[in-house]
Amino acid sequence: MAPWTSWLERLPLRRSYQVARPRQTIYRAGEALDGVPIICDGWAARVSRLSDGRRQILSFVLPGDLVSTNAVFAGSLNFFVEAITTVRHSSYDRADLNERLGAEPSLIKILVGACLAEKDEIDQLATNLGRRRAEERIARLFLHLKERLDARGLVRDQSFALPLRQQHIADATGLTPVHVNRVLGALRTEGLIELSSGILKIANPAGLQRIADLR
Amino acid sequence: MAPWTSWLERLPLRRSYQVARPRQTIYRAGEALDGVPIICDGWAARVSRLSDGRRQILSFVLPGDLVSTNAVFAGSLNFFVEAITTVRHSSYDRADLNERLGAEPSLIKILVGACLAEKDEIDQLATNLGRRRAEERIARLFLHLKERLDARGLVRDQSFALPLRQQHIADATGLTPVHVNRVLGALRTEGLIELSSGILKIANPAGLQRIADLR
DNA sequence: CGATTGATTGACAAGGTTCAAAGTGAGTGG
DNA sequence: CCACTCACTTTGAACCTTGTCAATCAATCG
């Protein structure tokens, strides 16, 4: 994959930074959104909330990520954005960005590609939630995160910083925190992962991939 | 909502029709796709398949629908397309369509809008699969289909043709056919729906919406 | 008619949830 | 330095939703 973020970093349109503390809601579904938000630093999540408090994490937004390509074209979004760690974020001015896009067709191509990739990701997520069991979902989540972080050079010796609470993992996989805890215990016991104090090590990549049903 | 399909119908680019029989795979994930397929007649489904045979229906494609806006920009797709009923379908030539898009900025707007709507739909699906129970999922599926068919004038007296087998409903909601059967039984018993010989009647819309957690 | 496909039902198992309690670890203030 | 708090993790037991297996029933079709 091409360096995932270069095109974003090169755009000289960035506005002032904002900082959000962990657990803070950065954006509320439906709110007017003047800019196109990107996460500069820290982890955030796209979240769907049900009326009775149930939550589904639709994706994790990692440093350098556009929150969603939707924001480039639409003035509001249908999901919440929440900070997981302390998050530094900023926005492109939508008008500026669109002007820029008009001038550079190659940028449009990249953006469209990102949008299609986002769609494929959600299709994947829906498939995982609908048809995979707890162990599979969690294994895939970890491997997926590892892949994304690897592209950023944030993985060393099969290990990376994982700032997620078990509640986050639960909300991302459609499970309860208690069950996440048990599955993590099992994965640990089987020697597939080591997870403590915010560091996840994929101790047995092949084994985890087998569980994740990844060829 | 604007007439959902007018822009598609007006494009004079349509190619020859093809016909697929029920249960037939119209497109296989990864296959080269020269055209941009649309469903002219009948119901199809976007389907994700796991290696062990599990299946997840990602969306139902109704008459007049583009299968996916992805096909406008990409030469292959990451899901299967399968016929549910007998399906008449055809494709726009991608080059033709793109040329046309270049000439008509308004068309681009419509297409981008459709793409964003597709993303929101999948987000919805993921949320349903991850965080809602069987009854909720099925109730929402029915109400969602009703809404889409209503926009096409295919709903009369709260009733519409539903060509789905219980297996389809199961694959769309992440359940087993047996459990779908039981939930349908319950919904019938509670007087919320009437379903037989391919006709679904929403007998108690308010009640079903309550179950569906739709305000 | 036999064959096939789908719907329905029952008995049982399993995966996951709920509730509740206890354990752990990192601040924080005295 | 200790006690206290807070957020999170871990564990157990009971429970519930959904899945599995298997059989029967119903409808359609050549």
Side-chain angles (χ1 to χ4, degrees):
Chain A
M1 193 184 303
W4 45 275
T5 184
S6 48
W7 65 279
L8 260 184
E9 313 248 291
R10 278 199 225 105
L11 287 178
L13 303 170
R14 196 159 302 177
R15 299 195 317 177
S16 64
Y17 290 117
Q18 293 198 16
V19 173
R21 311 250 88 221
R23 319 175 104 258
Q24 192 177 331
T25 297
I26 297 176
Y27 171 80
R28 292 173 193 286
E31 239 177 31
L33 186 67
D34 45 319
V36 178
I38 68 176
I39 302 300
C40 308
D41 216 70
W43 289 36
R46 285 197 315 125
V47 179
S48 170
R49 292 187 191 163
L50 304 193
S51 49
D52 62 355
R54 286 175 290 183
R55 302 154 41 82
Q56 177 66 48
I57 291 184
L58 300 168
S59 66
F60 292 105
V61 191
L62 304 188
D65 281 345
L66 210 58
V67 163
S68 163
T69 55
N70 289 33
V72 178
F73 306 107
S76 78
L77 303 170
N78 288 310
F79 46 80
F80 294 74
V81 180
E82 300 180 7
I84 291 171
T85 63
T86 295
V87 162
R88 232 170 17 105
H89 60 102
S90 70
S91 290
Y92 293 122
D93 182 86
R94 186 173 307 111
D96 284 3
L97 183 52
N98 275 296
E99 190 180 338
R100 188 67 178 257
L101 286 174
E104 284 182 60
S106 69
L107 265 187
I108 287 259
K109 279 225 178 69
I110 292 173
L111 202 65
V112 168
C115 183
L116 299 186
E118 283 174 11
K119 288 179 76 177
D120 287 341
E121 293 267 314
I122 320 174
D123 281 353
Q124 242 333 118
L125 176 65
T127 305
N128 293 342
L129 293 174
R131 288 309 193 192
R132 294 189 194 274
R133 17 204 73 215
E135 252 196 352
E136 265 178 294
R137 296 187 209 168
I138 293 179
R140 295 180 75 90
L141 172 62
F142 286 168
L143 291 170
H144 184 213
L145 287 172
K146 182 187 164 208
E147 202 176 315
R148 292 175 66 189
L149 291 168
D150 208 8
R152 274 152 242 242
L154 297 175
V155 178
R156 284 225 338 263
D157 187 29
Q158 303 287 338
S159 300
F160 54 91
L162 185 79
L164 304 179
R165 310 287 114 219
Q166 294 182 356
Q167 177 73 63
H168 293 124
I169 300 178
D171 286 336
T173 53
L175 302 166
T176 56
V178 174
H179 194 60
V180 166
N181 183 287
R182 294 190 221 277
V183 172
L184 290 181
L187 293 178
R188 256 191 288 251
T189 301
E190 300 168 54
L192 297 169
I193 64 170
E194 291 162 28
L195 174 57
S196 66
S197 51
I199 304 293
L200 173 65
K201 172 165 186 171
I202 312 289
N204 179 350
L208 200 61
Q209 285 178 340
R210 190 172 33 68
I211 284 191
D213 183 36
L214 281 173
R215 63 233 112 258
Chain B
M1 191 186 306
W4 46 275
T5 185
S6 47
W7 65 280
L8 261 183
E9 313 247 291
R10 278 198 226 106
L11 287 177
L13 302 169
R14 195 161 301 179
R15 298 196 318 178
S16 63
Y17 290 117
Q18 293 197 19
V19 173
R21 311 250 88 219
R23 319 176 103 258
Q24 192 175 331
T25 297
I26 297 176
Y27 171 80
R28 291 173 192 289
E31 240 177 29
L33 187 67
D34 45 319
V36 178
I38 66 176
I39 302 301
C40 309
D41 215 71
W43 288 37
R46 285 195 319 122
V47 179
S48 170
R49 293 186 191 163
L50 305 193
S51 49
D52 62 355
R54 286 174 291 182
R55 302 154 42 81
Q56 176 66 49
I57 291 184
L58 299 168
S59 66
F60 292 106
V61 191
L62 304 188
D65 281 345
L66 212 55
V67 164
S68 163
T69 55
N70 288 33
V72 177
F73 306 106
S76 78
L77 303 170
N78 288 311
F79 48 79
F80 294 76
V81 180
E82 300 179 7
I84 290 171
T85 63
T86 295
V87 162
R88 231 166 22 102
H89 60 102
S90 70
S91 289
Y92 293 122
D93 181 85
R94 186 172 308 110
D96 285 1
L97 183 52
N98 275 296
E99 191 180 338
R100 187 68 178 255
L101 287 175
E104 284 182 60
S106 68
L107 265 187
I108 289 256
K109 279 226 179 67
I110 291 172
L111 202 64
V112 167
C115 183
L116 299 186
E118 282 173 12
K119 288 179 77 177
D120 287 341
E121 293 267 315
I122 320 173
D123 281 353
Q124 247 324 121
L125 175 66
T127 306
N128 293 341
L129 294 174
R131 288 307 192 194
R132 294 188 195 275
R133 14 203 76 219
E135 252 196 353
E136 261 178 298
R137 295 188 209 168
I138 293 179
R140 294 179 76 89
L141 172 61
F142 286 167
L143 291 171
H144 185 213
L145 286 172
K146 183 188 164 206
E147 201 176 318
R148 292 175 66 190
L149 291 167
D150 208 9
R152 274 152 243 245
L154 295 175
V155 178
R156 283 227 335 265
D157 187 29
Q158 303 289 338
S159 300
F160 55 90
L162 185 80
L164 304 180
R165 310 288 116 218
Q166 293 184 354
Q167 177 71 63
H168 292 124
I169 300 177
D171 285 336
T173 52
L175 302 166
T176 56
V178 175
H179 194 61
V180 166
N181 184 289
R182 294 191 221 276
V183 173
L184 290 181
L187 293 178
R188 256 192 287 252
T189 301
E190 299 168 56
L192 297 169
I193 64 169
E194 292 163 27
L195 174 57
S196 67
S197 51
I199 305 293
L200 173 65
K201 172 164 187 172
I202 312 290
N204 178 350
L208 200 61
Q209 285 178 339
R210 192 171 32 70
I211 283 190
D213 183 37
L214 280 173
R215 63 232 111 262

